[in-house]
Amino acid sequence: MLHPSYADLIKVVNSGVEEGEDPVVSSRYSIVMATSKRARQIIAGDDELVDGRGKKPLSVAVEELNQGKIQILSEEYAQEDSEAEEAQESAEAAETVETVETEEPQEADAAGAE
């Protein structure tokens, strides 16, 4: 059995929602999807935000969610977040291109000087 319960986790996730707003999570499915995604991140090498010695990645993810160390974003915020990430990646790619373009002429100058 899962401890804490799904009901407890749903309360923790929705604790920051003001009265009258839609809850971030309304089903156990959302909890399962969020914790499994976080467990995959931990398996991939992300740092654990709670003491996870001797625990499986999914148990660590559930504990992180229960302690409020991770949050589940509503679809609206998740979309805004992904758009911000795409903009940042585009900016980083532009910086990389600029760096490559400025380095190439310097190499040509060095070859011409010899």
Side-chain angles (χ1 to χ4, degrees):
M1 178 171 227
L2 179 68
H3 293 285
S5 69
Y6 288 112
D8 292 340
L9 289 172
I10 289 172
K11 286 178 186 175
V12 168
V13 171
N14 291 328
S15 64
V17 176
E18 294 182 18
E19 194 171 320
E21 291 183 359
D22 291 333
V24 175
V25 173
S26 58
S27 70
R28 292 186 286 180
Y29 177 78
S30 299
I31 297 291
V32 169
M33 293 304 297
T35 53
S36 65
K37 181 176 181 179
R38 177 62 183 143
R40 286 191 300 274
Q41 291 173 346
I42 293 169
I43 291 168
D46 283 8
D47 292 333
E48 297 173 352
L49 303 176
V50 297
D51 183 24
R53 286 178 275 169
K55 295 181 182 176
K56 294 181 180 180
L58 183 59
S59 297
V60 173
V62 168
E63 187 62 29
E64 289 176 347
L65 185 62
N66 188 45
Q67 290 184 15
K69 303 282 184 176
I70 59 172
Q71 294 180 344
I72 299 174
L73 300 177
S74 65
E75 290 181 27
E76 178 181 308
Y77 291 116
Q79 184 177 8
E80 290 174 7
D81 192 39
S82 67
E83 289 173 0
E85 282 182 12
E86 289 174 8
Q88 183 178 359
E89 288 173 1
S90 295
E92 290 173 358
E95 289 176 10
T96 303
V97 171
E98 289 176 17
T99 303
V100 170
E101 289 176 2
T102 57
E103 289 178 4
E104 288 178 15
Q106 290 173 352
E107 292 175 12
D109 291 340
E114 291 177 4

